[in-house]
Amino acid sequence: MADSSKSTEVRCSEQSKGGIKYELVLSAPASDSPKHVARSPPKSSLSIEEIEKKLKKAEERRQSVELQKLSFVTEKLSNLETVNKKKEEFNNNFMQTAKESLEQKLESMKENRESHIKNIQEKARDAVTKVEEKRKAGDTSPDKEEKLEAIRKKLNAAGEQREAHLNSLLDKLREHDKHIADVQKQIKDQTETETLRQKSIQKLEQAETKRNTMLKEIQEKMKEHNSNILKVKHINEVNQYDEKLSQIQQKLNSAERKRTIQFQAMLEKLQEHERHSEVVRQKALSFNNEENAKENVSG
C-alpha cells in the first residue's frame, strides 16, 4: 500500500557519440485527487439528564404554584375564622350587655311605678281624710257655702290632676311596653344573627372539608404526575437508545461505504500502477533492444 501511494519513477540516460544526452522520466500523474468535503455532524438531541432537569424544573414550578394556591386558601380561611370569632365575641358581649341593661331598666321602672302609685294613693287618702274631717267638724262660718265650693273646686282640680297624672302614667306604660317590644325585637334580631353565625360556622366546616378533599385530589394528581414523569423518562430512554442504535447503524453503513470506496480506489490505483509498470517495462525493453541493435550495427 505504501509503495502504491508513492510515485513510480524510472530514469534512463544515454550519451551518444555526438554528445547528445536525454532522460526519460516515467512517474505517476501529479494531479491530486479532489478532497473529500466532510459534512457537518448532525446536531445532537437532548440528553436524558437535560430532559430530567427540565422535567424537574417544571415539577417544581407546578408544586410552587399549587403551594401558593393552598397558602392563599388557608390564609383566607384563617382570616374568616378570626373574623367570625371576633364577631361572635362582639355579639355575645352585646347581647349580655343589652340583657343586663334591659333587666336593670325594667326593675327600676317597676320600682318607680309602684312607688309613684303608692304616693298618689297616699295623697288621695290624705285629701279625702281632710275633707271628711272638715265636713264632720261642721264649719258654721257665714262663708260656709263658699268654702265648700272652694273645696269642691279643689277636689275637682285634684281629680283632674289625678286623671292627667294617670293618663301620663298610662302613656309612660305604653312607652315602656313599646320599649320592651323594641328590646324583644333586638333580641330576636340577635337570635337571627346567632342563626347566621351558626350557618357561617357550617359553611366554614364545609369549606374546610372541601379544602381537605382538594388537598387529597392534589396529592393524588401529584402521584399520577410523578408516575407519568417516570413513564416519560422510560420512553425517552428507550427512544434515545433506539436513536443511538440508529446512529451507530448509520455510522457503520457510512464506514462500510467509505471502506468500499477506498478499497475500489486502491484497486484502481494498483491496476493503474501495474499498467504503468508494464508500459515502463515495455519501453525499457524496447530501449535496450535499440541499444543492442546500435551496438551490433557499430560493431
Side-chain angles (χ1 to χ4, degrees):
M1 296 294 293
D3 295 335
S4 63
S5 62
K6 293 180 180 179
S7 62
T8 303
E9 184 175 357
V10 178
R11 291 179 180 271
C12 297
S13 62
E14 183 66 25
Q15 189 172 1
S16 63
K17 293 180 179 181
I20 298 172
K21 182 180 180 180
Y22 64 92
E23 292 182 358
L24 176 63
V25 178
L26 300 175
S27 63
S31 62
D32 297 331
S33 61
K35 294 182 179 180
H36 178 69
V37 180
R39 294 182 180 178
S40 60
K43 294 182 179 179
S44 60
S45 60
L46 294 175
S47 63
I48 296 175
E49 294 179 355
E50 292 177 350
I51 293 172
E52 289 178 352
K53 287 180 181 179
K54 289 186 177 181
L55 290 173
K56 188 176 180 181
K57 288 181 180 179
E59 180 66 19
E60 289 176 355
R61 288 195 298 270
R62 188 181 66 79
Q63 289 179 358
S64 64
V65 171
E66 290 177 354
L67 288 174
Q68 288 177 0
K69 289 181 180 179
L70 288 175
S71 62
F72 179 75
V73 173
T74 306
E75 185 179 359
K76 286 290 184 182
L77 289 174
S78 63
N79 292 333
L80 187 60
E81 289 176 358
T82 305
V83 170
N84 287 326
K85 286 181 180 179
K86 290 182 179 179
K87 186 177 180 181
E88 183 179 358
E89 291 177 358
F90 177 77
N91 289 331
N92 291 330
N93 294 329
F94 177 77
M95 290 177 67
Q96 188 68 24
T97 306
K99 185 177 180 181
E100 292 176 356
S101 176
L102 179 62
E103 289 177 354
Q104 290 177 0
K105 287 181 179 179
L106 289 173
E107 189 68 25
S108 62
M109 290 180 71
K110 185 177 180 181
E111 292 176 356
N112 292 331
R113 185 182 64 178
E114 290 177 355
S115 62
H116 193 65
I117 290 171
K118 286 180 180 179
N119 291 329
I120 292 171
Q121 288 176 354
E122 288 176 358
K123 287 180 180 180
R125 289 192 194 97
D126 292 338
V128 171
T129 303
K130 288 179 181 180
V131 170
E132 288 294 330
E133 288 177 354
K134 288 182 179 181
R135 187 176 62 79
K136 289 179 180 180
D139 192 1
T140 57
S141 59
D143 54 352
K144 179 179 178 181
E145 293 295 333
E146 293 179 358
K147 289 182 178 180
L148 289 173
E149 187 65 25
I151 290 169
R152 289 192 189 95
K153 288 181 180 180
K154 288 181 179 180
L155 288 173
N156 292 329
E160 290 176 357
Q161 289 179 359
R162 184 173 63 83
E163 290 293 332
H165 191 65
L166 288 173
N167 290 327
S168 66
L169 287 175
L170 289 173
D171 293 335
K172 288 182 179 180
L173 286 172
R174 292 190 189 96
E175 187 70 23
H176 177 68
D177 293 335
K178 184 179 179 182
H179 181 68
I180 290 172
D182 293 337
V183 172
Q184 289 176 351
K185 185 178 179 182
Q186 289 179 359
I187 293 171
K188 185 178 179 181
D189 293 338
Q190 291 295 328
T191 306
E192 292 177 355
T193 305
E194 182 68 19
T195 305
L196 291 174
R197 187 180 67 82
Q198 294 293 334
K199 289 182 179 179
S200 299
I201 292 171
Q202 290 178 359
K203 288 182 179 179
L204 284 173
E205 291 176 352
Q206 292 176 359
E208 183 69 19
T209 305
K210 188 175 180 180
R211 184 176 69 86
N212 294 328
T213 306
M214 287 175 64
L215 285 173
K216 290 181 180 179
E217 290 178 355
I218 289 169
Q219 290 176 356
E220 291 177 356
K221 287 182 179 179
M222 288 176 68
K223 290 180 181 178
E224 185 178 357
H225 182 69
N226 291 327
S227 64
N228 290 330
I229 288 173
L230 293 175
K231 289 180 182 179
V232 170
K233 287 181 180 179
H234 180 68
I235 292 169
N236 288 329
E237 289 176 356
V238 172
N239 291 333
Q240 192 167 8
Y241 179 72
D242 293 337
E243 186 177 356
K244 286 183 178 179
L245 287 176
S246 178
Q247 290 177 359
I248 292 169
Q249 187 66 33
Q250 290 177 1
K251 288 180 180 179
L252 289 173
N253 294 331
S254 178
E256 183 67 23
R257 286 194 297 271
K258 288 180 180 179
R259 188 177 66 82
T260 304
I261 292 169
Q262 289 177 358
F263 185 72
Q264 188 69 27
M266 288 169 63
L267 287 175
E268 290 177 357
K269 285 182 179 181
L270 286 173
Q271 291 175 0
E272 184 68 24
H273 178 67
E274 289 176 356
R275 287 195 297 270
H276 184 68
S277 298
E278 183 66 25
V279 171
V280 170
R281 189 174 61 81
Q282 293 293 333
K283 287 183 178 180
L285 288 174
S286 64
F287 181 75
N288 290 328
N289 291 329
E290 288 177 359
E291 289 294 325
N292 291 328
K294 287 180 181 180
E295 288 178 357
N296 291 328
V297 171
S298 62

